[in-house]
Every structure is written in C-alpha cells, then in structure tokens.
Amino acid sequence: MKRIAISNLKGGVGKTTLGINLAGALAEMGQRVLLIDTDSQGHAAISLGLKHTAGLWDLMITGVKPSEVIHTITDNFHMIPSDKRTGAIEQQLVATIHREAVLAKRLESLEGYDFVFVDTAPSLSLILQNTIVYTRSVLMPISMDYLAVVGAMQSLDLARLIQQEMGFKYEVFGIVPTFVDKRLSITDTVLGHIDRVFGKEGIPVFNPIGIDTNLQKASAKHQTILDYAEKSRSAEDFRQLAEDFLEQTKVGTRVEPLQKVSRG
Ligand SMILES: Nc1ncnc2c1ncn2[C@@H]1O[C@H](COP(=O)(O)OP(=O)(O)OP(=O)(O)O)[C@@H](O)[C@H]1O
Ligand SMILES: [Mg+2]
C-alpha cells in the first residue's frame, strides 16, 4: 500500500484536482485507491458530490475505525472526506502526546488499498505534519506560476525538517506540472524553473496536465474528468499520468527523472 501526500504550499495549483482525477484514473485501471481529504474547505468531497457525512474529524478526534469514515465513490475509489470541522482538529490535538503522529496511529489498521492519497491544504499546519508523518512521500503539482515553484520548495523544506526531527526516510515521488498552456511563454519559463530546481536533483517530473475548463465543469457536475468528459484532453492527460505513475511505483525510489517534460 503506497501512501502519498499531494502537497504544495501555494494555493490553487491543482492539488485537489490532481487527487481526484489521478485517483479516478488509477481506479479505472483496476487499482484500489483511497483519497483522504485533510483540507477544511472539503473540496474533494464537494467535487465528487459527497455531503454531510463522517470524515477526517471523526477519525482523528473521536477515534472511530477507518471503515466508519470511508465512503465509496466507485468500486475501486474510496474517500475519507473533510469539512469545516477539520479546522478544529488542531486545537483538539494541542495537548495530545505525539500530536504529529495521530493520523498515522488512527490509520494503522488500514489495509486493502494499492494507493492512499492525502490531499492537503496550502498552509503549514499540524494536519500537514500529520500527513507527512503518515505518508513519508509527496507528489507536488506545480501550476505555471513562479510562486507555485516556491510553494513546492517550501513544501519540500517542511518535509525535510520533519524528516530530520523524526529520523525517517522521506521520498519526493515527483512533480506534476499543471495548468500547462503551451501557447504562453510563462509556461516555458516555469517548466524551465521546474527542470532546474527539481529535475536536476533527480526528482521525477511527470508529463503535464494541460489547462482545460472541463476540469472545473466536471467538479460542478460532481464527477471525475474521466466520467464527465472521457475523451477530453485532460482525461487523456490524467490517464497518461496514471500509467506513468504506476510505472514509477514499480521502479520504486528512483534517482533518474522518469521522463523529460514534453514541451513540443
Ligand atoms: N488543469 C486545469 N485547467 C483548468 N482548471 C483547472 C486545472 N486544474 C485545476 N483547475 C481548477 O482550478 C481551481 C483550483 O484547482 P484545485 O482546487 O485543484 O487547486 P488546489 O491546489 O487544490 O487549491 P487549494 O490550495 O485551495 O486547495 C479549481 O476550480 C479547479 O477546477
Ligand atoms: Mg485543494
């Protein structure tokens, strides 16, 4: 069971969109996937039409079993949703011993999934620390904005800090360029930054997700892009990403980038 946080401290770079649609694409390929939302905005659940239900707060604070907060989106795609109560988790955990390891503890008994993705909020928080301690692995979407590169670097710094403090091995699973529009010169500039900052370090840079308003429309219809517009460009992007992603997990921790970002 591979656990991966989807993180970038910059807001609006496509974290939730990546979580939902990569999970959806992997599920379509027969993988069993759980998506855990840790953002009090609760956008993952809203985007998939799941409402007013038990979720992260219940798991972390009342200590119910994972099975009681896991909801079925499709046969292979399950979710632990979040809602505004997630904002109160931090205060509740302040006095807890090993407060950065509560999520890991609560999910100790979880089994039966090939992948567990954790969607995160763009803020330095105890919940984010809990996520890093649980997953020890991160996938970072970066939109075509220099500040999104900075947000990813900040995300990495936090992970490295926690790694030093707690002494565990931490894996950067890869970068996913998002909102890519090849007609814009900023796209080339930011892809260049990504290559220099992450690619050169041997961090895999996956093929990009293009800009596509179908992704927004799919959320409004409470569907993944694969169900909403199965033949759309971005549905293809996510299917390709899921294939590369699976390949990468077979290879394990790599030092070589999986492939060069295609700009052609
Ligand atoms: N490739 C894309 N093309 C067009 N729109 C996109 C794309 N990816 C995401 N969006 C839209 O951009 C908005 C922000 O995306 P998303 O919510 O996934 O970002 P986020 O990083 O999760 O944001 P936050 O930091 O607030 O959690 C959403 O309305 C989403 O539908
Ligand atoms: Mg989000």
Side-chain angles (χ1 to χ4, degrees), residues 8 10-18 39 41 43 119-122 141 178-180 209-213 215-216 219:
N8 185 322
K10 168 96 174 61
V13 299
K15 294 180 286 293
T16 303
T17 304
L18 175 62
D39 187 341
Q41 295 181 103
H43 283 172
D119 185 18
T120 64
T178 56
F179 291 84
V180 169
I209 305 298
I211 195 159
D212 183 1
T213 52
L215 287 163
Q216 289 153 9
S219 288

Side-chain angles (χ1 to χ4, degrees), residues 6-75:
I6 298 176
S7 174
N8 185 322
L9 285 171
K10 168 96 174 61
V13 299
K15 294 180 286 293
T16 303
T17 304
L18 175 62
I20 291 171
N21 293 297
L22 177 57
L26 286 166
E28 201 182 66
M29 291 162 71
Q31 301 293 311
R32 288 182 55 82
V33 187
L34 175 68
L35 174 64
I36 303 174
D37 188 4
T38 60
D39 187 341
S40 58
Q41 295 181 103
H43 283 172
I46 294 168
S47 294
L48 293 170
L50 203 65
K51 39 186 153 173
H52 309 304
T53 181
L56 189 73
W57 191 89
D58 306 87
L59 177 75
M60 289 187 74
I61 301 303
T62 70
V64 297
K65 288 200 211 94
S67 59
E68 293 181 47
V69 294
I70 291 177
H71 302 269
T72 301
I73 307 296
T74 65
D75 279 355

Side-chain angles (χ1 to χ4, degrees), residues 12-167:
V13 299
K15 294 180 286 293
T16 303
T17 304
L18 175 62
I20 291 171
N21 293 297
L22 177 57
L26 286 166
E28 201 182 66
M29 291 162 71
Q31 301 293 311
R32 288 182 55 82
V33 187
L34 175 68
L35 174 64
I36 303 174
D37 188 4
T38 60
D39 187 341
S40 58
Q41 295 181 103
H43 283 172
I46 294 168
S47 294
L48 293 170
L50 203 65
K51 39 186 153 173
H52 309 304
T53 181
L56 189 73
W57 191 89
D58 306 87
L59 177 75
M60 289 187 74
I61 301 303
T62 70
V64 297
K65 288 200 211 94
S67 59
E68 293 181 47
V69 294
I70 291 177
H71 302 269
T72 301
I73 307 296
T74 65
D75 279 355
N76 285 342
F77 181 4
H78 296 176
M79 176 189 267
I80 298 180
S82 167
D83 56 42
K84 57 182 185 306
R85 293 177 302 160
T86 294
I89 292 178
E90 303 253 326
Q91 288 105 308
Q92 302 266 352
L93 291 187
V94 165
T96 309
I97 301 171
H98 299 313
R99 60 190 176 177
E100 68 294 327
V102 174
L103 184 64
K105 182 95 192 135
R106 296 281 189 267
L107 292 173
E108 240 169 20
S109 64
L110 185 73
E111 56 185 13
Y113 294 99
D114 298 299
F115 295 101
V116 180
F117 291 106
V118 185
D119 185 18
T120 64
S123 59
L124 276 169
S125 65
L126 186 51
I127 305 264
L128 183 58
Q129 290 180 36
N130 265 268
T131 300
I132 291 170
V133 170
Y134 172 59
T135 59
R136 302 181 181 197
S137 169
V138 67
L139 181 66
M140 299 194 293
I142 300 183
S143 61
M144 295 303 102
D145 175 349
Y146 176 65
L147 292 179
V149 180
V150 174
M153 287 159 69
Q154 290 168 333
S155 232
L156 259 190
D157 285 349
L158 174 71
R160 284 181 179 147
L161 199 71
I162 296 175
Q163 168 179 2
Q164 279 165 14
E165 294 267 315
M166 301 197 60

